[in-house]
Amino acid sequence: MRVTVAFLCALAGIAVAHAQPVADTILVNGKFVRHDATPAAALAVRDGKIAAIGNTDEIRALAGTSTRTIDLGGRTVIPGLIDSHIHAIRAGLSYTTEVHWFGARTLTDALDRLRAAAKTAPKGSWLIVAGGWIDRQFAEDRRPTQAEIAGAAPDHRVYVQMLYSHVLLDPRGAETLGLAGKAELAARLTVERDRDGKPTGWLAGDNRAISDLFNLLSRPTHAQKLAGTRAFFRALNAMGITGVSDPGGYNLEADDYQPLFQLWRERALTVRVRYSLSAPRRDRELEDFKELTQMLPMGFGDDWLRFNGIGENVTWGHYNNDTPDAAQKERLAGVLRWAVAQGLTATFHWHNDRAVNHLLEVLERVNAESSVKHLRWSVAHLNDASPATLKRLQALGMGWLVQNAFYFRGEAFLGQRGADAARLVPPLVTASRMQLPVGAGTDAHRVMAPNPFIALQWMLDGKTISGVAMRAAEELPSRGEALRLYTQGSAWFSLEENTRGALKAGQLADLAVLDRDYLGVPVEQIGGTVSLLTMVGGRIVYAGGPFTALEEGSR
């Protein structure tokens, strides 16, 4: 009897060991791009994760009566893209109340978008173009005039921002904003004038002045913020984005996070969000961070929404300031000592290699007191990083967040630094060879459009929006390596490189089915790529073209 029971148990054990769990969804007849292997033909999803990836017969064997099967028609599938530095929370707040000039290739098209918005917006209200464009994208190769925006929307106030350097107001805009009564801000703005000395309507200023000017505009209601966030995230899904890391920044208050939190509570997020907190008040940074994080430990959240430390503005003395003094350095060191004790990651906004020593010397001093290597700190931007700087980052266990800023502003760098310097910026291949962690992104939506495929094309060819080639061939990554930086590379910065960012069994089922073959089309066509089906955690959050009927609602 004992033998019989043992024998039956053994048989049962064999049956369990060989049982294959039924997949929720299988995707077949595709070209699934893998980082470390040749493309696969099919993939299975179960419980929000990739259950298996391989040939068609292997994957079909996992199907049951309840399994959904999707034939991709030979289309290319990539891991869901992760923008490692994008102001997505801020962009979402006003996405449906702004006019967007993303992708407009003529000034006529841009002005037509203003006209279209004017037809539905209440008379006297503001039409706002908050950024994401540059004059070089237009065939006319110039900025709009005050007369043109007034002609496009004569019954509205118009605010048009270009990067963080210029704003165009309609003829009554300055009066409506009350600039005449704001002497301190007006003193930080320059009124541009024509040859006859008459104001053109354009104002120039630095990042903070332009941001303070933007703060004078009326803010969207909570309902508008909620609708905007939902719409912006869906727009990101349509571009194959399944995750973002948001660094806070200008024009973002504490209550501006509430629409994001509401969507999370309602299980309505379609993008995985990792967010860090920027310092709200100058010279009160440590006090504010302590208050904000009392019940917000590092990594708090779930797979959809998670707190990811502090930055990009850790202290105001090191934010858009190339010459911090000793007191400002000590203030930064004090905040970072506290961050180390709390186990917080930190990301730092820094633009140029010339002055980055002011930041790195503080980080190295803090590291000498208590190691930061396990915290995955990062520097964002730093487009002209030198090999010596990259080695210093590597020694600190840090990573580098790279965006396609020079797609818009490459000619300006060429004019300032020359072709020899431009050949090496940013040094993507050098960083990869050093095995320095690198994440890719856009820094959208004020200084860049949020399109990841434009960023990928720029990574591959080094050309500006005007078609000027900058980066030398030795700093142009392969298509596979560029894709890795935009997926697995970006996931490293939230300690998730082993759970998302690759089409691999056991990882989260985040992927995008593309309208063209990323690996095979000419490089100049990559920027026009869109997703036809985007899946996050096994749920189809966006579907277009032949897959439109497959899009699903909230979880």
Side-chain angles (χ1 to χ4, degrees), residues 21 79 141 176 198 201 226 253 288 298 303 330 344 346 435 541:
D141 195 24
T176 304
K198 296 180 180 179
L226 190 66
E253 306 296 334
D288 287 344
M298 177 65 193
D303 285 340
E330 185 52 40
L344 295 175
Q435 297 186 320
V541 297

Side-chain angles (χ1 to χ4, degrees), residues 256-550:
D256 288 330
Y257 288 81
Q258 294 308 311
L260 171 69
F261 295 160
Q262 181 174 336
L263 290 179
W264 174 69
R265 290 194 302 272
E266 294 174 354
R267 300 172 65 84
L269 286 178
T270 62
V271 173
R272 301 188 192 278
V273 179
R274 308 295 178 255
Y275 69 98
S276 56
L277 296 177
S278 281
R281 298 182 294 175
R282 183 180 296 273
D283 298 333
R284 305 288 291 276
E285 297 93 345
L286 182 55
E287 174 187 343
D288 287 344
F289 282 138
K290 285 181 176 181
E291 180 68 23
L292 289 168
T293 61
Q294 284 187 83
M295 301 182 70
L296 194 61
M298 177 65 193
F300 185 77
D302 61 14
D303 285 340
W304 286 92
L305 179 65
R306 186 171 298 158
F307 172 56
N308 199 47
I310 60 175
E312 62 179 357
N313 180 1
V314 178
T315 60
W316 285 89
H318 279 74
Y319 193 54
N320 290 312
N321 178 18
D322 286 352
T323 56
D325 59 31
Q328 290 169 326
K329 292 179 181 180
E330 185 52 40
R331 182 176 295 277
L332 175 62
V335 172
L336 295 181
R337 291 186 187 103
W338 167 82
V340 173
Q342 301 302 310
L344 295 175
T345 192
T347 186
F348 306 90
H349 165 106
W350 204 273
H351 276 302
N352 61 76
D353 194 76
R354 179 187 67 254
V356 75
N357 183 63
H358 289 300
L359 171 67
L360 295 183
E361 66 179 9
V362 178
L363 272 56
E364 289 163 345
R365 174 154 50 98
V366 172
N367 179 65
E369 299 169 7
S370 183
S371 177
V372 306
K373 293 181 180 180
H374 61 294
L375 297 176
R376 301 199 179 186
W377 290 0
S378 61
V379 173
H381 318 314
L382 197 59
N383 298 298
D384 63 339
S386 65
T389 292
L390 296 180
K391 288 179 182 178
R392 291 175 74 179
L393 294 179
Q394 187 176 48
L396 291 166
M398 295 179 65
W400 180 32
L401 301 173
V402 178
Q403 304 83 43
N404 57 320
F406 285 170
Y407 180 67
F408 272 3
R409 291 177 281 166
E411 285 89 349
F413 185 88
L414 272 168
Q416 295 164 2
R417 300 281 297 279
D420 288 344
R423 287 171 54 83
L424 303 175
V425 296
L428 295 173
V429 175
T430 295
S432 293
R433 285 175 179 166
M434 293 172 57
Q435 297 186 320
L436 179 75
V438 178
T442 58
D443 198 18
H445 80 305
R446 297 280 174 83
V447 300
M448 181 57 58
N451 192 325
F453 289 102
I454 288 177
L456 281 164
Q457 179 175 314
W458 167 84
M459 290 167 71
L460 296 170
D461 67 13
K463 293 182 180 179
T464 70
I465 194 169
S466 303
V468 176
M470 288 181 55
R471 215 168 337 118
E474 57 265 31
E475 290 294 353
L476 299 177
S478 68
R479 298 188 191 207
E481 182 57 28
L483 181 62
R484 185 193 293 270
L485 299 184
Y486 231 113
T487 52
Q488 197 173 57
S490 294
W492 182 90
F493 293 85
S494 55
L495 292 89
E496 296 178 284
E497 71 274 18
N498 294 318
T499 59
R500 63 185 181 129
L503 299 181
K504 184 177 180 180
Q507 293 218 359
L508 294 169
D510 299 353
L511 56 83
V513 180
L514 307 182
D515 71 333
R516 63 197 71 183
D517 182 12
Y518 168 78
L519 296 179
V521 298
V523 171
E524 60 270 19
Q525 294 181 19
I526 288 176
T529 304
V530 297
S531 177
L532 297 176
L533 184 153
T534 302
M535 178 180 285
V536 185
R539 179 165 62 100
I540 298 174
V541 297
Y542 172 83
F547 306 113
T548 299
L550 298 178

Side-chain angles (χ1 to χ4, degrees), residues 236-252:
L236 294 180
N237 295 146
M239 294 182 280
I241 293 178
T242 60
V244 298
S245 287
D246 188 291
Y250 289 119
N251 306 126
L252 194 62

Side-chain angles (χ1 to χ4, degrees), residues 78-265:
I78 62 171
L81 299 172
I82 304 170
D83 192 315
S84 63
H85 189 92
I86 178 174
H87 299 271
I89 298 172
R90 184 180 66 196
L93 298 174
S94 54
Y95 186 71
T96 53
T97 59
E98 290 179 359
V99 181
H100 303 289
W101 285 359
F102 308 149
R105 296 316 303 259
T106 68
L107 190 51
T108 299
D109 180 12
L111 293 170
D112 282 345
R113 296 184 190 188
L114 275 180
R115 291 188 183 92
K119 291 179 180 179
T120 58
K123 288 186 177 182
S125 65
W126 282 95
L127 300 182
I128 300 169
V129 181
W133 69 280
I134 196 167
D135 48 4
R136 293 187 185 89
Q137 75 187 50
F138 301 139
E140 296 88 345
D141 195 24
R142 66 173 179 84
R143 302 177 301 181
T145 66
Q146 188 178 66
E148 287 172 330
I149 63 169
D155 298 322
H156 296 78
R157 305 285 67 78
V158 182
Y159 174 103
V160 177
Q161 181 172 322
M162 187 175 74
L163 307 177
Y164 274 108
S165 58
H166 293 82
V167 167
L168 174 63
L169 297 173
D170 71 275
R172 292 179 55 193
E175 177 186 353
T176 304
L177 293 178
L179 266 181
K182 295 176 172 59
E184 190 276 332
L185 173 57
R188 292 187 281 124
L189 296 167
T190 300
V191 176
E192 292 193 358
R193 300 180 181 276
D194 62 19
R195 294 178 180 178
D196 298 324
K198 296 180 180 179
T200 64
W202 281 97
L203 302 173
D206 62 14
N207 292 42
R208 190 179 177 196
I210 297 298
S211 297
D212 288 347
L213 181 62
F214 185 89
N215 271 340
L216 299 180
L217 296 167
S218 57
R219 297 177 66 80
T221 65
H222 177 78
Q224 290 171 327
K225 292 176 180 179
L226 190 66
T229 300
R230 196 188 300 268
F232 184 60
F233 284 5
R234 188 173 188 276
L236 294 180
N237 295 146
M239 294 182 280
I241 293 178
T242 60
V244 298
S245 287
D246 188 291
Y250 289 119
N251 306 126
L252 194 62
E253 306 296 334
D255 64 351
D256 288 330
Y257 288 81
Q258 294 308 311
L260 171 69
F261 295 160
Q262 181 174 336
L263 290 179
W264 174 69
R265 290 194 302 272

